[in-house]
Structures are given as C-alpha cells and as structure tokens.
Amino acid sequence: MEGNYYPLLKWILLAPLAGFLLNGLLGKKFLGERAGGIIGSLAILVSFVFAALSFSDLLNLPAENRLLRDTLFSWISAGTFSVDAAFRFDPLAAVMALVVTGVSFLIHVYSTGYMKGDAGYNRYFAYLNLFVFFMLALVLADNPLMMFVGWEGVGLCSYLLIGFWYEDPEKATAGKKAFITNRVGDAGFLIGLMMLSGILSANGVIGLDFETLRANAHLLGAYNFLGVAAPTLICLLLFFGATGKSAQFPLYVWLPDAMAGPTPVSALIHAATMVTAGVYMLARLSFLYELAPRALEVVLLVGCFTAFFAAVIALAQRDIKKVLAYSTVSQLGYMFMAAGAGAYAASVFHLATHAFFKALLFLGAGSVIHGMSGEQDLLKMGGLKKEMPVTFLLVATGWLAIAGVPGLSGFYSKDLILEKVFEHGGAFVWGVGVLTAALTAFYTTRLFVLAFLRQKRGTGHAHESPLSMTLPMAALALLAVGGGFFLKDRLFVFLDPAFVPAHGHTPEALRLMAFSVAAGVTGIIAAFLLTLPAPAAALKAALPRAHSLVYNKFYVDEIYGFLLLRPLRRFSDRVLFGLVDAGLIDGLLVNGTAKASYAAGRLLAKAQNGRLDTYALVFAAGVALMLYWII
C-alpha cells in the first residue's frame, strides 16, 4: 500500500513536543505551577484529539487500504540506501496512538493533584510531555530507524523521570539502573537493525519503510551467520532489545526499581507507554518473525517463564508499588506468550486492556500513598475502606479486572491469550499460564485486602484524594469494566480485515475458560484466607526459607552483582583504567611524551653553557657536516 498523504499526523507528535518546550524553557518562574499543569495536560489532550480525528478518517477508507502517511523530509541518503523521516497511521498505529494519548492524558490530569507543591513541578510536566512525544514517535514511525529514535527517546525520558528526585541517591541510582539495563538490550536491537538494513541494501533494496521490508523480507532467507539463519538471528537480536524495554527475563531487573519515581510516572511507564514498546515492535515486524519460527519459540518460552517468575515474586512483596511492578512484568509475559504463539492481535488486545486496569491500579496506589502521607508498606495499612471510600471502589474495579473476573476487561484478553497458546500446541505453556492466572488473582487480592480491608495496622488518619486524582481513576475504571467487552471483536476486525468474529465458543474453548476462571477464583479465595493474621504467620513460620527467597526476589540482583557487575568493575578498575587509561594513555602517551621532551630539553640545555669555544666547535662541526652532505 502506498498510503494517503495526511498532514495531520505530525500534529499528534508536535502537541506534546510544544508542551515540553513551554514547560522546559519557561518553567515555574514564568509559567507558574497551575499554568504548567494545564499546558502539560492540554498538550496531550490535543494530541489525543488529532489521533481521534486521524482514526475517524482511517475508518472512512476501504479496509484493505487503511494507511495514512506523512513524510517530513529525507533523513538519510547514501547511494541506494535512503530513509525518510516519515510517519504512518494504520490500524496497529491507530490503536497504539489512542491508548498512549488517552491513558497519558488521564495520568497528566492526575499528576496535577499528586505533584502539587513539588519544587520540580514544571520540570516534571516537561519530562512527561517529552516522554509521550518519543513514545508516539516510536509507534507512528514509518521505518525501523525512526522507530529506534523513539525507542531511545523513551529510554532517556525513563531515566529522567525515574530519577526525578535525584537528590535522593537511591532514586538517582534507580534511574541509572533503568538507563544502563535498557542500553544493554538496545545494543542487540541496533545490531539486528544493522544486519537487516545491510542485507537488504546489498540486494539493491531502496528504502527501509515497513511496506518495503514486508515485500523484501524473503531475501533474508538466503543468508546465515555462524550457521544461524539470518531471519532467526535478526529476530532474536530484536527480541533481546524487547526484553530490555519490556522488562522480560533476563533484563527485567530495572522495572521494579523504577518505582523510585513519582507514582504517576510508574503508571505511565508500566501501563501504556515504554514497557509496551517491545510488544508493539513484535506486532509491527510480525512478517519477519513468521520467517523465524525458532525465534517465536524463544519469545513464547521467555514470555511464559517471565510471567510465572514475576508472579511468584509478587506474592511476598510488602511495598504496594513493588507488587504492581512485578505484576506488570508478569502481564507483559502474557503478551509475549501471545506473540510467540503467533496471536499478535491477542497480544495487542491484552496490551490495551492492561493499560486500562494497570494504570488504574497504579493511580489507586498513588492515591493510597498520598492519603497516607507517603506510606507504601502494605503491612502498615488496613481499614482504608472507611477512610478512602472512593479510592476503595475504584481500586476494587482494577483488582477484579486484573484477577480475570468474567465480564471485565482482563478476563477477555487473558483468556483469549491462553486459548491461542493452547491452540498453538503449547499445552505446557498453557498450564503455566493458568497457574500464573491463579497467582495473579492471589497477589492482587492480597494487596486489596491488606490495604483496604482487615484491621488498621498503621498510625494516623488517611484522607481521600482530590477530584483531580479520583476523576481520572474513575475514567480508567469505566474502561477496565467495559473496555474488554467493547474491543473483543471490534479490535480484531480492525487489525485484521480477514478476521471473522466468533459467535459463541467451541466446547474446548469453554473448558479452557472454565479452567482459567476456576484458577482465578481459587487465587482470590486463597488470598482472603491466607491474609488472616494466624494463617499468614503460620505459613511464614512453616516455610521461612521459601518466604525469604521469594521476598528477596530470588536474589537475582545479588547474583547479577556477583557474576556480572563485580567482575566488570574489577576489570574496569584494573585493566581499562589502571592499565589502558592510567598506564598506556596517561602514563605512556601523554605523560611519557612530556617526560621525553623534558629529558631532551635538559640534555640540550647542557650544551648552552656560555663558553664561546664550545659554541665555535659545534658551529664548525655543523658546517663540516653540511659540506659533507652537499659534496
């Protein structure tokens, strides 16, 4: 498809960029707190409006020709290789743009209340707008190089936002950890892009837009590296980048620490933006992954392991935000399971519904923290149902949605993923997915019970959050309730015109659904029972080592520190710094040159002794040498 020229696309990105510039350049001194919050929120609202207008115009096109394009300029031109700074708006990009701008707008509005009075208020909204700009650049990019610009941009903004309160060393360290971990994954992503563009350029392919890639992807099959087929290697490298950005094993370790940032930042990063970038990338490049079934198997297994592993860790966490952080890692694992099974539309479906209920849960956690003056320990909460009734009802909606209660958004997308995985032949993976669903219901119920029910364990009195915080939560609660039902058939038809909505379920699908629902109900009941003081204490006493292992997150950070960080630091100190930098560069090349010059100067200085006979002798020797050379 050539696509239709559509100049409105650039305005979807320019609105948040303008918000970043206004808040970033004018700041609190010229704008003030109130104006800064309004400008930051209004910028995302304008972006959402332009995305909605573009979506409306896209729907008016024939299903087989739904593609809008906007080319800004020719970005790279070298011989036959050419890349434009261009954007595309097709069904996949439309879904992502609406989810990103819609959820981000609600988080911006929420932030006006949550961040009120903070010294960095305008800086915060500048970073938040810039983050959305780069995320939109990623999802609207018309080629993988433009996608990589957005990919790197959200990594930069995550560093700025996670370490927003940089005066605190712990928070600054968390920002650096996120940035460095993502750079590790991005190195793989970049190598994969180089291999992809190199092979296509060698075959005379001009341009690197996604339509050209799709048409010429078959050319990759003729190449292999070290016995590995080029499509498989490229897809694995790109997926390695996704494990960093979307927090999959082994590069998931940055995301729980990202809770150091303001809670709305956690909602933005974990719900609709940065962590979904890897899922989107797989869906966008699905034509490449279809050429590499072995790479898809890796995606499926990594997603399965990450979903289960993170869910287990979430069982014993005390920090309300850490529970939700590991929940995000686990739910992203579900999305990669779907992509690994070839069910890309199901993956995007869960991406959308997860954005609704996870943003709601994070904002609900922020409301609790705000109402309890910064307290985040679940074991110091309790009884908030009476003190924060609105937050209680809204968080209850998000809890039921993620627990997979039938009729709510999480039920439709999660069950569809499990069904597709089972159809793909992954009975074992399906079983792990069902078990993970039970664990998900358990840890979210535990969070809800410890925070809102049971007897109050902390001191002080909590207060309800202002309307600027509860109204965005209410909008997300409506989406968490009805979003899944509304999208379950419409989204698939929109993403794939050949999709035929299923009227009813086969007996096998109903049996699979029954297993999933039973797992969720079991997890909820178990959580209500095991959060009672006596059973909780008895379980902890009976399994102290297991509890310690899970609570300490299986010591993965410590293992990485011992196996990777400590040897790298020792190698850097002793070899790179001690031998190369201080020894070779500073010692030999810089200081050595200076010392040699100084020594030569001292030697020559001895000839300058003030004696005329010595000077005459040297002069005569010089003349003799010149005559000898000439003759």
Side-chain angles (χ1 to χ4, degrees):
M1 288 188 296
E2 286 296 324
N4 303 277
Y5 173 66
Y6 195 73
L8 285 184
L9 288 188
K10 63 173 71 73
W11 295 103
I12 301 176
L13 292 98
L14 290 179
L17 182 61
F20 159 70
L21 292 173
L22 287 173
N23 262 309
L25 296 177
L26 300 180
K28 191 173 183 178
K29 182 177 180 180
F30 296 100
L31 283 181
E33 188 174 284
R34 181 179 177 82
I38 292 174
I39 288 173
S41 302
L42 190 60
I44 306 304
L45 178 60
V46 171
S47 182
F48 175 76
V49 170
F50 277 113
L53 291 173
S54 303
F55 173 70
S56 176
D57 290 338
L58 192 71
L59 286 177
N60 292 330
L61 296 174
E64 67 279 1
N65 193 37
R66 284 177 176 164
L67 175 60
L68 305 174
R69 272 204 174 104
D70 187 3
T71 301
L72 301 183
F73 53 85
S74 178
W75 180 25
I76 301 174
S77 182
T80 60
F81 183 74
S82 176
V83 177
D84 292 332
F87 303 104
R88 67 185 287 119
F89 199 82
D90 60 2
L92 178 58
V95 171
M96 292 298 297
L98 289 172
V99 171
V100 168
T101 55
V103 175
S104 296
F105 169 67
L106 296 174
I107 293 172
H108 275 69
V109 174
Y110 177 97
S111 296
T112 60
Y114 188 88
M115 296 296 291
K116 188 175 182 180
D118 191 281
Y121 189 91
N122 294 74
R123 176 169 58 91
Y124 169 83
F125 275 96
Y127 291 166
L128 220 58
N129 278 185
L130 185 64
F131 189 98
V132 176
F133 164 77
F134 278 121
M135 187 65 196
L136 289 170
L138 190 158
V139 301
L140 297 179
D142 192 41
N143 58 71
L145 288 185
M146 282 294 294
M147 177 193 286
F148 189 69
V149 172
W151 188 276
E152 289 295 285
V154 293
L156 167 65
C157 292
S158 69
Y159 164 74
L160 296 173
L161 287 167
I162 294 168
F164 180 75
W165 289 312
Y166 57 86
E167 299 90 348
D168 185 335
E170 181 182 352
K171 293 176 171 53
T173 299
K176 288 186 288 185
K177 183 176 181 179
F179 188 79
I180 293 170
T181 306
N182 273 273
R183 297 292 73 71
V184 174
D186 293 351
F189 190 96
L190 188 57
I191 294 170
L193 284 186
M194 290 177 177
M195 291 179 61
L196 176 64
S197 61
I199 292 174
L200 294 180
S201 296
N203 283 271
V205 177
I206 300 175
L208 206 61
D209 60 272
F210 291 117
E211 298 302 321
T212 301
L213 289 181
R214 183 186 294 273
N216 294 280
H218 65 279
L219 297 174
L220 302 174
Y223 296 82
N224 68 80
F225 298 88
L226 301 176
V228 181
T232 300
L233 184 56
I234 291 171
C235 288
L236 287 175
L237 286 167
L238 295 176
F239 175 61
F240 185 65
T243 62
K245 201 65 69 187
S246 294
Q248 296 297 283
F249 187 87
L251 298 180
Y252 72 94
V253 290
W254 69 269
L255 192 140
D257 287 21
M259 298 300 96
T263 302
V265 170
S266 304
L268 186 65
I269 292 177
H270 289 223
T273 54
M274 178 173 165
V275 296
T276 62
V279 179
Y280 167 77
M281 184 270 293
L282 259 70
R284 173 60 72 197
L285 298 177
S286 58
F287 56 87
L288 284 182
Y289 281 87
E290 293 305 314
L291 299 175
R294 291 302 180 94
L296 279 179
E297 290 179 8
V298 173
V299 173
L300 177 67
L301 293 176
V302 170
C304 174
F305 176 78
T306 305
F308 176 74
F309 184 67
V312 172
I313 295 176
L315 297 176
Q317 299 306 304
R318 294 175 53 169
D319 187 315
I320 187 172
K321 290 174 67 176
K322 285 287 179 71
V323 175
L324 296 177
Y326 281 104
S327 171
T328 298
V329 176
S330 181
Q331 295 300 306
L332 288 165
Y334 268 115
M335 298 176 207
F336 281 104
M337 284 168 60
Y344 303 102
S347 180
V348 175
F349 182 28
H350 195 58
L351 183 155
T353 59
H354 176 262
F356 304 149
F357 59 69
K358 185 53 63 67
L360 172 59
L361 287 172
F362 265 113
L363 297 187
S367 181
V368 168
I369 295 168
H370 182 270
M372 294 193 68
S373 303
E375 183 58 67
Q376 296 184 202
D377 191 341
L378 286 166
L379 300 185
K380 295 180 181 179
M381 297 180 186
L384 295 181
K385 175 183 177 182
K386 296 180 180 179
E387 297 176 341
M388 305 181 71
V390 176
T391 299
F392 164 75
L393 290 174
L394 295 174
V395 173
T397 305
W399 157 54
L400 294 173
I402 193 174
V405 172
L408 276 70
S409 58
F411 163 76
Y412 291 105
S413 56
K414 177 206 58 173
D415 274 46
L416 181 61
I417 288 175
L418 292 176
E419 181 181 331
K420 294 297 182 183
V421 168
F422 190 85
E423 289 177 0
H424 185 69
F428 172 76
V429 176
W430 171 83
V432 175
V434 172
L435 179 57
T436 302
L439 297 177
T440 303
F442 180 91
Y443 66 68
T444 51
T445 305
R446 172 180 174 269
L447 179 151
F448 184 74
V449 170
L450 291 177
F452 293 96
L453 307 179
R454 301 283 187 257
Q455 187 174 356
K456 186 174 181 178
R457 294 171 296 280
T459 58
H461 180 75
H463 59 84
E464 187 58 87
S465 298
L467 284 177
S468 59
M469 295 171 64
T470 54
L471 286 179
M473 291 167 59
L476 288 167
L478 291 175
L479 292 170
V481 171
F485 179 79
F486 178 79
L487 291 174
K488 64 185 178 72
D489 286 334
R490 293 177 177 87
L491 180 66
F492 287 87
V493 174
F494 181 59
L495 290 175
D496 183 4
F499 176 79
V500 179
H503 300 286
H505 291 278
T506 64
E508 182 177 280
L510 289 174
R511 283 194 296 271
L512 297 176
M513 185 186 299
F515 274 110
S516 179
V517 172
V521 171
T522 301
I524 292 173
I525 294 173
F528 270 100
L529 295 176
L530 294 177
T531 51
L532 290 168
L539 184 63
K540 186 176 179 180
L543 301 169
R545 291 185 179 178
H547 179 272
S548 177
L549 187 65
V550 175
Y551 177 72
N552 289 290
K553 301 160 285 188
F554 292 93
Y555 299 98
V556 172
D557 282 300
E558 290 77 5
I559 293 171
Y560 283 3
F562 179 77
L563 296 180
L564 297 174
L565 300 184
R566 193 179 299 175
L568 281 173
R569 182 173 297 171
R570 187 178 294 114
F571 177 77
S572 298
D573 287 341
R574 297 182 180 179
V575 178
L576 297 181
F577 174 72
L579 182 61
V580 177
D581 193 6
L584 178 61
I585 297 175
D586 288 345
L588 180 61
L589 299 180
V590 178
N591 294 332
T593 304
K595 289 177 180 178
S597 299
Y598 182 67
R602 283 190 302 174
L603 183 63
L604 292 173
K606 292 180 179 180
Q608 304 295 324
N609 54 14
R611 294 181 57 179
L612 292 178
D613 56 341
T614 303
Y615 296 163
L617 180 62
V618 173
F619 179 77
V623 171
L625 288 173
M626 290 178 62
L627 290 174
Y628 177 78
W629 180 74
I630 293 172
I631 294 172

